[in-house]
């Protein structure tokens, strides 16, 4: 129990309970962490329901509070599934500690973003108590399928015919000095590289798939990319992220697969990326012919996004921080996030503002709680402003 935060001690208590329920994406059962949330929402009389993914697994809990007057709906989003723990022997405390030591809440997803989930439940209760005088409505999406990269919770909410489509989303994310208002997009592909099979010790020399794949990696790494341009501050980036092929020492493989992840920008979009990758593939097949052509299979594509500072909900969140006397910068993120998915649906999003943190997705993850009143006040002010406009 945190005694010096007043009513916000309940936020820390709930976050600790959530941390103590393992919810590693793809590893742990989602039921325990969702049960904690459902118990708290029920005790506060908040309306919620479950959404499921395509496999009928629970994916999210939306809390939906309608105002008494017409207006747009806005959403808060926080994820409660987590990254793996990594080497647990490297932690100085258990990843599921969920305790407060020296003013710090400790454990996996303390920073990103079980504390935000608990805070958003608290904000939902505040809004629920005065909903009759508000415009539009507020949805709080407690997402249990985000870290897999499939974004099952958000996808289920956007596809739900009973959900009101939000005009904008504020995503819970740590960090006290910035709000993410944009991000690079992505284009990902699997590339199947073929070669001639044979025995490694044979007198007959053959060109195997791994050797051809290595050459393709070199061509991709050397491919020219543009720098930053216009109002978008980051350049595109191409990375070969995996290479799988071969089964032993004595056999020359006839197939190898590589994965390519490209972070895109408005001036270097998915079409430009695919043209670049296919040009490298054409160069490989011309330089080092094989029995079968190299095949490119695109598997994901999200657009970059960067709403204007005066667009909602970015303006509300940045304005609320300034109203609390805080200097917060707007930032464009290098990694892609759920904001890209929302941008593809025409929904502007922000990520942050949150608590100072350490060990995000790594060892000894924690957040510093001293700034929790300020983070609450900023979100409270932003939400109130959006619902009374």
């Amino acid at each position: 129990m945190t005694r010096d935060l007043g009513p916000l001690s309940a936020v820390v208590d709930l976050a600790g309970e959530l941390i103590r329920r393992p919810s590693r994406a793809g590893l742990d059962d989602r039921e325990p962490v969702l049960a904690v949330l459902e118990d708290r929402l029920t005790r506060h009389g908040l309306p919620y329901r479950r959404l499921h993914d395509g496999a009928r697994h629970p994916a999210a809990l939306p809390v939906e509070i309608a105002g008494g007057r017409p207006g747009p709906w806005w959403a808060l989003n926080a994820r409660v599934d987590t990254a793996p723990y990594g080497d647990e022997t490297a932690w100085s405390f258990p990843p599921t500690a969920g305790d407060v030591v020296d003013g710090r809440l400790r454990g996996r997803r303390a920073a990103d973003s079980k504390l935000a989930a608990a805070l958003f439940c608290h904000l939902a209760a505040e809004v629920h108590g005065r909903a009759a005088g508000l415009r539009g409505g507020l949805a709080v999406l407690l997402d249990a399928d985000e870290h897999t990269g499939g974004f099952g919770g958000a996808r289920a909410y956007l596809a739900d015919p009973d959900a009101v489509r939000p005009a904008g989303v504020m995503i819970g994310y740590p960090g006290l000095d910035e709000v993410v208002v944009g991000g690079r997009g992505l284009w990902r592909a699997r590339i199947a590289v073929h070669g001639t099979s044979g025995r490694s010790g044979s007198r007959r020399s053959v060109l195997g798939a791994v050797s051809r794949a290595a050459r393709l990696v070199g061509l991709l790494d050397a491919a020219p990319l543009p720098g930053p341009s216009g109002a978008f501050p980051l350049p595109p980036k191409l990375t070969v992220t995996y290479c799988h092929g071969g089964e032993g020492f004595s056999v020359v493989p006839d197939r190898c697969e590589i994965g390519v992840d490209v972070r895109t920008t408005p001036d270097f979009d998915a079409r430009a990326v695919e043209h670049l990758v296919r040009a490298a593939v054409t160069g490989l097949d011309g330089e080092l012919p094989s029995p079968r052509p190299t095949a490119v299979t695109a598997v994901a594509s999200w657009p970059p996004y960067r709403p204007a500072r005066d667009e909602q909900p970015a303006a509300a969140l940045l304005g609320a921080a300034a109203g609390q006397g805080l200097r917060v910068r707007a930032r464009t993120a290098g990694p892609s996030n759920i904001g890209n998915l929302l941008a593809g649906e025409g929904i502007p999003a922000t990520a942050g503002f949150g608590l100072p943190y350490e060990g995000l997705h790594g060892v000894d993850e924690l957040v510093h709680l001293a700034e929790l009143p300020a983070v609450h006040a900023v979100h409270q002010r932003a939400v109130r402003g959006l619902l009374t406009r």
Side-chain angles (χ1 to χ4, degrees), residues 159-324:
D160 183 11
D162 294 326
V164 180
R165 194 174 186 84
V169 178
M170 291 181 283
I171 302 165
Y173 202 75
L176 195 66
D177 58 351
E178 63 186 24
V179 170
V180 173
V181 297
R184 289 189 290 200
L186 65 77
W187 183 88
R188 289 173 176 164
R190 294 189 295 266
I191 303 179
V193 182
H194 303 281
T196 303
S197 62
R199 301 283 293 181
S200 59
S202 173
R203 292 183 179 182
R204 184 173 70 95
S205 179
V206 296
L207 183 62
V210 170
S211 295
R212 295 188 75 244
R215 176 56 180 152
L216 179 58
V217 171
L219 291 172
L220 291 170
D221 284 343
L225 298 175
S229 63
F232 201 86
L234 298 175
K237 182 181 181 183
L238 185 153
T239 308
V240 177
T241 55
Y242 69 80
C243 182
H244 302 319
E247 298 179 0
F249 287 104
S250 61
V251 178
V252 179
D254 61 2
R255 187 181 188 280
C256 183
E257 182 176 290
I258 66 173
V260 177
D261 179 289
V262 186
R263 300 309 166 106
T264 62
T265 66
D267 292 331
F268 193 72
D269 60 11
R271 180 177 296 182
V273 169
E274 186 162 0
H275 178 78
L276 179 146
V277 170
R278 291 190 182 279
V281 164
T282 299
L284 172 72
D285 288 348
E287 179 185 340
L288 301 174
S290 73
R292 296 177 60 187
T294 303
V296 179
T297 303
V299 297
S301 180
W302 294 342
Y305 74 103
R306 185 174 171 81
R309 286 180 62 99
D310 59 354
E311 185 176 353
Q312 300 295 3
L317 193 57
L318 292 167
Q324 291 295 127

Side-chain angles (χ1 to χ4, degrees), residues 2 5 7-13 115-116 118-119 176 353-356 367-379:
T2 301
L5 294 173
L8 294 179
S9 294
V11 172
V12 179
D13 293 341
L115 190 284
L119 177 61
L176 195 66
F353 139 103
L355 293 177
V367 289
H368 297 264
L369 295 172
E371 302 296 340
L372 181 57
V375 172
H376 168 254
V378 167
H379 280 91

Side-chain angles (χ1 to χ4, degrees), residues 122-159:
H122 183 82
L123 287 166
E126 292 178 333
V127 169
H128 189 246
R130 55 193 301 266
L134 301 177
R135 296 183 182 275
L138 177 70
V140 175
L141 185 65
L142 303 167
D143 196 336
D145 182 20
E146 189 275 344
H147 202 81
T148 61
F151 298 144
R155 291 184 188 277
Y157 187 68
L158 293 172

